[in-house]
mmCIF file of all heavy atoms in Angstrom:
data_model
loop_
_atom_site.group_PDB
_atom_site.id
_atom_site.type_symbol
_atom_site.label_atom_id
_atom_site.label_comp_id
_atom_site.label_asym_id
_atom_site.label_seq_id
_atom_site.Cartn_x
_atom_site.Cartn_y
_atom_site.Cartn_z
ATOM 1 N N LEU C 183 119.292 117.327 137.015
ATOM 2 C CA LEU C 183 118.241 117.802 136.106
ATOM 3 C C LEU C 183 118.620 119.090 135.356
ATOM 4 O O LEU C 183 117.800 119.631 134.620
ATOM 5 C CB LEU C 183 116.952 118.051 136.909
ATOM 6 C CG LEU C 183 116.373 116.819 137.626
ATOM 7 C CD1 LEU C 183 115.178 117.215 138.479
ATOM 8 C CD2 LEU C 183 115.957 115.759 136.608
ATOM 9 N N SER C 184 119.868 119.551 135.571
ATOM 10 C CA SER C 184 120.352 120.787 134.926
ATOM 11 C C SER C 184 119.447 121.971 135.226
ATOM 12 O O SER C 184 119.179 122.806 134.360
ATOM 13 C CB SER C 184 120.475 120.592 133.408
ATOM 14 O OG SER C 184 121.401 119.580 133.103
ATOM 15 N N LEU C 185 118.981 122.065 136.451
ATOM 16 C CA LEU C 185 118.156 123.181 136.895
ATOM 17 C C LEU C 185 119.025 124.120 137.735
ATOM 18 O O LEU C 185 119.455 123.759 138.842
ATOM 19 C CB LEU C 185 116.976 122.683 137.734
ATOM 20 C CG LEU C 185 116.081 123.773 138.329
ATOM 21 C CD1 LEU C 185 115.368 124.555 137.219
ATOM 22 C CD2 LEU C 185 115.057 123.174 139.294
ATOM 23 N N PRO C 186 119.333 125.315 137.247
ATOM 24 C CA PRO C 186 120.210 126.233 137.990
ATOM 25 C C PRO C 186 119.623 126.620 139.358
ATOM 26 O O PRO C 186 118.449 127.002 139.446
ATOM 27 C CB PRO C 186 120.313 127.457 137.077
ATOM 28 C CG PRO C 186 119.980 126.938 135.707
ATOM 29 C CD PRO C 186 118.961 125.862 135.927
ATOM 30 N N ILE C 187 120.453 126.521 140.383
ATOM 31 C CA ILE C 187 120.085 126.962 141.736
ATOM 32 C C ILE C 187 121.015 128.114 142.107
ATOM 33 O O ILE C 187 122.243 127.963 142.111
ATOM 34 C CB ILE C 187 120.220 125.828 142.767
ATOM 35 C CG1 ILE C 187 119.363 124.622 142.346
ATOM 36 C CG2 ILE C 187 119.822 126.331 144.149
ATOM 37 C CD1 ILE C 187 117.876 124.877 142.316
ATOM 38 N N ILE C 188 120.436 129.259 142.387
ATOM 39 C CA ILE C 188 121.214 130.450 142.739
ATOM 40 C C ILE C 188 121.029 130.729 144.231
ATOM 41 O O ILE C 188 119.907 130.729 144.746
ATOM 42 C CB ILE C 188 120.753 131.665 141.912
ATOM 43 C CG1 ILE C 188 120.990 131.414 140.416
ATOM 44 C CG2 ILE C 188 121.473 132.932 142.358
ATOM 45 C CD1 ILE C 188 120.418 132.499 139.519
ATOM 46 N N GLU C 189 122.133 130.971 144.924
ATOM 47 C CA GLU C 189 122.076 131.309 146.349
ATOM 48 C C GLU C 189 122.118 132.829 146.485
ATOM 49 O O GLU C 189 123.024 133.491 145.972
ATOM 50 C CB GLU C 189 123.249 130.687 147.107
ATOM 51 C CG GLU C 189 123.167 130.922 148.610
ATOM 52 C CD GLU C 189 124.264 130.192 149.377
ATOM 53 O OE1 GLU C 189 125.224 129.698 148.735
ATOM 54 O OE2 GLU C 189 124.158 130.122 150.614
ATOM 55 N N LEU C 190 121.100 133.377 147.190
ATOM 56 C CA LEU C 190 120.991 134.814 147.380
ATOM 57 C C LEU C 190 121.468 135.192 148.794
ATOM 58 O O LEU C 190 121.165 134.484 149.752
ATOM 59 C CB LEU C 190 119.539 135.273 147.198
ATOM 60 C CG LEU C 190 118.879 134.932 145.858
ATOM 61 C CD1 LEU C 190 117.419 135.390 145.865
ATOM 62 C CD2 LEU C 190 119.629 135.589 144.702
ATOM 63 N N PRO C 191 122.187 136.325 148.924
ATOM 64 C CA PRO C 191 122.703 136.718 150.244
ATOM 65 C C PRO C 191 121.606 137.309 151.133
ATOM 66 O O PRO C 191 120.605 137.834 150.648
ATOM 67 C CB PRO C 191 123.761 137.766 149.905
ATOM 68 C CG PRO C 191 123.263 138.383 148.634
ATOM 69 C CD PRO C 191 122.629 137.250 147.868
ATOM 70 N N LEU C 192 121.829 137.245 152.439
ATOM 71 C CA LEU C 192 120.867 137.779 153.401
ATOM 72 C C LEU C 192 120.775 139.301 153.308
ATOM 73 O O LEU C 192 119.734 139.884 153.614
ATOM 74 C CB LEU C 192 121.298 137.364 154.826
ATOM 75 C CG LEU C 192 120.380 137.790 155.973
ATOM 76 C CD1 LEU C 192 119.009 137.141 155.834
ATOM 77 C CD2 LEU C 192 121.005 137.441 157.333
ATOM 78 N N THR C 193 121.834 139.932 152.848
ATOM 79 C CA THR C 193 121.890 141.399 152.833
ATOM 80 C C THR C 193 120.990 142.035 151.782
ATOM 81 O O THR C 193 120.708 143.238 151.835
ATOM 82 C CB THR C 193 123.334 141.862 152.569
ATOM 83 O OG1 THR C 193 123.793 141.254 151.365
ATOM 84 C CG2 THR C 193 124.238 141.465 153.728
ATOM 85 N N LEU C 194 120.535 141.253 150.818
ATOM 86 C CA LEU C 194 119.675 141.790 149.755
ATOM 87 C C LEU C 194 118.244 141.308 149.950
ATOM 88 O O LEU C 194 117.998 140.121 150.190
ATOM 89 C CB LEU C 194 120.165 141.331 148.373
ATOM 90 C CG LEU C 194 121.458 141.967 147.837
ATOM 91 C CD1 LEU C 194 121.829 141.328 146.506
ATOM 92 C CD2 LEU C 194 121.298 143.468 147.664
ATOM 93 N N SER C 195 117.305 142.238 149.844
ATOM 94 C CA SER C 195 115.897 141.827 149.899
ATOM 95 C C SER C 195 115.520 141.219 148.546
ATOM 96 O O SER C 195 116.171 141.471 147.520
ATOM 97 C CB SER C 195 115.004 143.029 150.197
ATOM 98 O OG SER C 195 115.028 143.942 149.109
#
Side-chain angles (χ1 to χ4, degrees):
L183 299 175
S184 299
L185 177 65
I187 303 296
I188 298 173
E189 185 175 12
L190 303 177
L192 182 63
T193 55
L194 288 176
S195 67

